[in-house]
Amino acid sequence: MSKIKGGNFMTKERSQILIRKTCLVAFDILSVIIAFFLSSIIAYNGHIELSFLRYSYYLLSGLIVSSLIFFVLLRLYDSLWRYASVNELLNVIIASFLSTIVYCILCTICPVTPPISTVFLYLLILLMLVGGARFGYRFLRLYASRHHLLGRGEH
């Protein structure tokens, strides 16, 4: 066990949870980036305007920060989807909609307005990536536990 601030010890379980949460946050950041660029590529038929790309850094920064805030507020990192439920799916949908609303707001502020289809594509892609990752994680854990692939201390 490793010692952390305040004299508390980090147990193996806590460190595994921290690693899972960190990986999930990293995947969510990557999901926002992929959803942003993929929706733009599709909407622009593979040829994104240079003027739009100039502002993509600002748009992405705002999207990443706001999306992570929504994901934390809707507690998407608390349960780690051990038991994926309709409530958690609803939270993913709400967080994705809120992120899309921020995208709309940022697009109105941006001097170069992307096609409206990017907004809808962003929402669909983000839902698939964020929701798919969580249900995929749940499925893999279920599969591994049924096929005794998860370690239970007997190696």
Side-chain angles (χ1 to χ4, degrees), residues 17-66:
I17 289 172
L18 181 63
I19 290 169
R20 287 183 197 147
K21 284 184 180 184
T22 304
C23 289
L24 198 53
V25 169
F27 185 82
D28 287 342
I29 291 170
L30 191 60
S31 295
V32 170
I33 294 169
I34 291 170
F36 176 80
F37 281 113
L38 193 55
S39 66
S40 300
I41 289 169
I42 294 169
Y44 282 109
N45 293 323
H47 304 287
I48 301 175
E49 292 180 17
L50 185 59
S51 57
F52 178 73
L53 282 177
R54 286 187 196 130
Y55 294 98
S56 63
Y57 173 78
Y58 300 108
L59 292 171
L60 263 176
S61 300
L63 279 176
I64 291 169
V65 170
S66 62

Side-chain angles (χ1 to χ4, degrees), residues 91-134:
N91 285 344
V92 167
I93 293 170
I94 292 169
S96 297
F97 268 108
L98 291 172
S99 178
T100 305
I101 290 169
V102 169
Y103 184 37
C104 290
I105 293 168
L106 291 173
C107 284
T108 59
I109 295 170
C110 183
V112 179
T113 306
I116 192 71
S117 59
T118 58
V119 175
F120 297 110
L121 289 167
Y122 172 79
L123 174 62
L124 291 175
I125 296 167
L126 189 63
L127 277 171
M128 288 188 327
L129 291 173
V130 173
R134 283 158 172 80

